[in-house]
């Protein structure tokens, strides 16, 4: 399989639940990203991993916890979320870190916090 | 830090009409510029990118964009819009850092 695959596509969770979002790429890319997309707001960069090391954390609340066990997989662990965390969460990858490389995006996980 | 503005939140055009989506960026040097498209329920797909050289860039699906340094703009154009072009369009800017996106322009195509 090629491209960036995100699972699940849809997730509904209560505020006390713990869940994880998964992102997988088989493009040989070395950088992976988590973005949050909320209605009528620009995409918010949450985390950046380069060669499996976290290189950026944009003041994201600790209830979001990323994990990158290898260059092909990226997770976003969620716990005690708030309703305002409901959004589309997009994963992307690129050959190397930096915008001079094109980003390949997954289809996203639509998260609803109830 | 670089930033990007898309002044139009929503644009409606008739099928077959021409299209221009506006994008303005803020950066001290020549940035890398991108246009992405997002269909409902999907991720973002790269339409085209500008790094240097010819200021008129051709992309996929018949789209093109022109980089104008004097106006700090990178507007997206298409001569004749198809119904399948209805989607959300995002302009993005980057330099040595990571990519930053505009808020998007939603395109509706009338029959």
């Amino acid at each position: 399989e090629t491209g960036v695959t995100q699972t699940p596509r849809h997730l509904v969770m209560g505020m006390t639940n713990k869940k994880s979002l998964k992102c997988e790429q088989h493009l040989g890319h070395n950088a992976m990203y988590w973005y949050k997309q909320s209605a009528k707001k620009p995409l918010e960069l949450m985390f950046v991993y380069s060669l499996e090391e976290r290189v950026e954390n944009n003041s994201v609340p600790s209830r979001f916890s990323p994990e990158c066990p290898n260059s092909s997989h990226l997770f976003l662990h969620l716990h005690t979320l708030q309703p305002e965390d409901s959004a589309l969460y997009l994963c992307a990858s690129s050959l190397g870190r930096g915008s001079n490389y094109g980003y390949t995006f997954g289809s996203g996980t639509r998260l609803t916090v109830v | 830090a670089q930033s990007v503005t898309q002044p139009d939140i929503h644009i409606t055009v008739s099928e077959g009409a021409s299209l221009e989506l506006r994008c303005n960026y803020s950066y001290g040097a020549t940035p890398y510029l991108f246009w992405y498209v997002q269909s409902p329920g999907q991720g973002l797909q790269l339409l085209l990118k500008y790094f240097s050289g010819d200021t008129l860039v051709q992309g996929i699906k018949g789209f093109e964009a022109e980089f104008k340094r004097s106006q700090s703009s990178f507007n997206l154009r298409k001569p004749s819009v198809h119904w399948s072009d209805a989607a959300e369009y995002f302009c993005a800017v980057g330099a040595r850092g990571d990519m930053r996106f505009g808020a998007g322009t939603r395109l509706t195509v009338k029959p």
Side-chain angles (χ1 to χ4, degrees):
Chain A
E1 186 177 345
T2 60
V4 178
T5 302
Q6 290 187 243
T7 54
R9 291 296 307 274
H10 301 273
L11 178 62
V12 179
M13 57 186 290
M15 291 190 285
T16 58
N17 292 159
K18 290 184 180 181
K19 297 287 185 182
S20 295
L21 309 185
K22 179 182 177 182
C23 176
E24 186 172 357
Q25 58 93 6
H26 299 284
L27 301 168
H29 289 173
N30 292 315
M32 297 186 77
Y33 311 80
W34 280 117
Y35 280 88
K36 177 183 178 184
Q37 185 178 31
S38 304
K40 299 189 179 9
K41 293 177 67 176
L43 274 75
E44 300 171 51
L45 179 62
M46 300 175 72
F47 300 104
V48 180
Y49 276 83
S50 178
L51 297 173
E52 301 158 40
E53 289 190 20
R54 188 192 310 181
V55 294
E56 186 163 338
N57 174 352
N58 278 348
S59 302
V60 179
S62 59
R63 57 185 183 270
F64 295 91
S65 175
E67 179 189 4
C68 188
N70 55 62
S71 60
S72 297
H73 295 86
L74 184 65
F75 295 89
L76 188 62
H77 304 299
L78 316 171
H79 66 97
T80 58
L81 294 191
Q82 304 299 310
E84 61 264 28
D85 297 322
S86 298
L88 182 67
Y89 289 84
L90 291 166
C91 174
S93 70
S94 61
L95 186 59
R97 191 202 170 189
S99 55
N100 52 315
Y101 300 98
Y103 288 15
T104 301
F105 281 85
S107 297
T109 295
R110 173 68 63 184
L111 174 66
T112 303
V113 181
V114 297
Chain B
Q2 61 266 28
S3 65
V4 59
T5 303
Q6 293 180 247
D8 304 305
I9 296 174
H10 183 205
I11 284 183
T12 299
V13 299
S14 298
E15 190 168 15
S18 63
L19 170 71
E20 183 169 27
L21 302 182
R22 297 184 291 165
C23 172
N24 295 100
Y25 69 89
S26 173
Y27 186 64
T30 300
Y32 304 127
L33 295 162
F34 306 82
W35 275 99
Y36 286 83
V37 61
Q38 184 180 32
S39 298
Q42 299 297 316
L44 278 68
Q45 180 185 19
L46 180 66
L47 284 175
L48 47 80
K49 59 187 177 184
Y50 173 79
F51 287 175
S52 64
D54 193 347
T55 57
L56 186 62
V57 181
Q58 301 298 320
I60 62 172
K61 304 185 180 187
F63 286 92
E64 66 178 26
E66 185 173 11
F67 169 61
K68 292 186 177 180
R69 184 190 305 275
S70 61
Q71 299 176 19
S72 298
S73 68
F74 188 58
N75 294 350
L76 182 72
R77 301 194 296 248
K78 186 169 185 178
S80 178
V81 170
H82 188 263
W83 64 265
S84 60
D85 293 323
E88 187 103 19
Y89 290 81
F90 293 90
C91 183
V93 61
R96 288 184 296 277
D98 301 301
M99 207 173 300
R100 307 293 172 175
F101 290 83
T105 297
R106 184 161 64 92
L107 174 65
T108 298
V109 180
K110 292 191 302 184

